[in-house]
């Protein structure tokens, strides 16, 4: 895919961490980017910071655990921009939860955002692509290396069982979507990016107490951009990125 100015991208979790880094790269390349986040004021400030770039960030409030907010965001996109060429499913939460002692609400919220929210927004974007006749779009799911393994608690970083379950489910969801699109002879690419430990806002205190070599959000964003720019006949299915020496 050529990342040219007439492409429209949708990025969830757009004002923090990997999502923020991806948005900055895409806007710098001249794309129109719709950014979704819970903190609309922070997202609007980010949009102001990017005003000198060739592209543009459109900030939208959206809680991925609320289907009506997802539907509202998709309606806004269709009305104002027409459709979406690229979807970056980046938003996710890692709540502290125990399989033995944890409350059901923490597990439900994790699955609502990390799995159901992704499924809901992906379905909506696919419909927008169909409406606009886009058959060469890209869907990127930002997963985690723990979504490919069955020993998440042995990992030397803070991963809750709820988060590990959600990322394993996302791996299955990604593969099922890829298979369905192939069976329908669609050229829409489904890409899974699986990073290891990334230094983001919500783990900085832990990293101070437990120093580790980490990935920076831009490291992951660079590989997402790379995966989007492969030739039309090439699909990067699963890309694993970890800090050196990560166990």
């Amino acid at each position: 895919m050529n990342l040219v100015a007439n492409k429209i991208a949708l990025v969830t979790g757009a004002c923090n961490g990997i999502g923020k880094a991806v948005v900055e790269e895409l806007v710098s390349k001249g794309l129109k980017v719709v950014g979704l986040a819970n903190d609309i004021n922070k997202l609007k400030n980010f949009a102001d910071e990017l005003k000198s770039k060739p592209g543009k960030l459109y900030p939208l409030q959206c809680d991925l655990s609320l289907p009506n907010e997802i539907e509202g965001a998709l309606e806004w996109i269709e009305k104002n921009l027409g459709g979406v060429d690229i979807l970056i499913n980046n938003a996710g939460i890692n709540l502290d939860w125990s399989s033995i002692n944890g409350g059901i609400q923490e597990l439900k919220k994790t699955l609502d955002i990390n799995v159901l929210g992704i499924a809901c927004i992906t379905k909506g974007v696919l419909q927008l692509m169909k409406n606009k006749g886009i058959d060469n779009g890209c869907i990127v799911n930002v997963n985690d290396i723990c979504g490919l393994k069955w020993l998440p608690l042995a990992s030397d970083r803070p991963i809750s069982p709820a988060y590990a379950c959600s990322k394993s489910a996302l791996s299955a969801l990604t593969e099922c979507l890829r298979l369905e699109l192939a069976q329908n002879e669609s050229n829409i690419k489904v890409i899974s990016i699986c990073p290891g430990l990334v230094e983001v806002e919500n783990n900085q205190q832990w990293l101070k107490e437990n120093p580790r070599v980490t990935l920076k959000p831009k490291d992951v964003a660079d590989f997402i951009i790379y995966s989007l720019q492969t030739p039309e006949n090439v699909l990067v299915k699963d890309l694993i990125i970890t800090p050196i020496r990560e166990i």
Side-chain angles (χ1 to χ4, degrees):
M1 171 179 280
N2 293 321
L3 295 181
V4 293
N6 64 339
K7 298 290 185 183
I8 298 170
L10 172 59
V11 181
T12 67
C15 63
N16 293 302
I18 296 169
K20 184 176 182 180
V22 170
V23 168
E24 187 164 5
E25 289 294 317
L26 293 174
V27 172
S28 296
K29 292 182 180 296
L31 277 74
K32 295 176 181 177
V33 180
V34 179
L36 304 187
N38 282 331
D39 191 338
I40 189 61
N41 292 325
K42 188 174 183 179
L43 194 55
K44 286 179 177 178
N45 290 336
F46 184 34
D48 288 338
E49 293 172 16
L50 298 176
K51 280 186 175 179
S52 62
K53 304 292 184 182
K56 183 175 181 179
L57 171 59
Y58 299 85
L60 291 183
Q61 163 77 35
C62 183
D63 183 338
L64 289 182
S65 68
L66 301 175
N68 62 312
E69 291 201 7
I70 293 174
E71 184 178 343
L74 293 170
E75 287 176 355
W76 185 94
I77 292 169
E78 185 170 31
K79 179 180 178 180
N80 293 276
L81 299 174
V84 173
D85 301 282
I86 300 165
L87 170 62
I88 312 290
N89 281 315
N90 165 72
I93 59 172
N94 180 17
L95 297 179
D96 186 16
W97 182 80
S98 164
S99 303
I100 299 173
N101 301 316
I104 195 65
Q105 289 304 316
E106 288 81 6
L107 175 61
K108 182 179 184 302
K109 185 172 182 179
T110 302
L111 295 176
D112 280 346
I113 293 175
N114 295 8
V115 183
L116 298 179
I118 287 176
C120 184
I121 200 164
T122 299
K123 181 180 179 181
V125 165
L126 286 170
Q127 186 60 54
L128 291 182
M129 288 180 176
K130 183 178 180 180
N131 294 347
K132 201 176 178 184
I134 297 171
D135 193 45
N136 61 344
C138 288
I139 296 170
V140 179
N141 290 337
V142 180
N143 202 320
D144 189 295
I145 193 170
C146 78
L148 306 176
K149 300 190 174 206
W150 289 104
L151 295 173
L153 298 183
S155 177
D156 197 18
R157 57 190 175 97
I159 296 175
S160 81
Y163 177 81
C165 289
S166 72
K167 291 303 183 178
S168 294
L170 180 57
S171 293
L173 187 68
T174 301
E175 188 59 36
C176 289
L177 175 59
R178 190 182 290 141
L179 178 60
E180 285 189 51
L181 288 171
Q183 290 172 338
N184 290 328
E185 299 184 347
S186 171
N187 293 318
I188 296 170
K189 297 181 180 182
V190 181
I191 301 164
S192 177
I193 305 291
C194 297
L197 178 59
V198 183
E199 183 180 337
V200 291
E201 291 180 8
N202 62 6
N203 65 14
Q204 286 182 348
Q205 182 59 41
W206 184 88
L207 285 170
K208 286 181 182 178
E209 299 167 0
N210 304 271
R212 298 287 189 277
V213 178
T214 65
L215 297 170
K216 305 300 182 186
K218 189 179 184 305
D219 297 327
V220 183
D222 286 343
F223 280 98
I224 291 174
I225 300 301
Y226 163 78
S227 72
L228 291 173
Q229 297 185 102
T230 55
E232 288 192 1
N233 64 317
V234 175
L235 171 63
V236 176
K237 285 188 172 184
D238 300 285
L239 191 55
I240 299 172
I241 316 158
T242 68
I244 192 168
R245 302 198 306 271
E246 180 169 291
I247 299 173

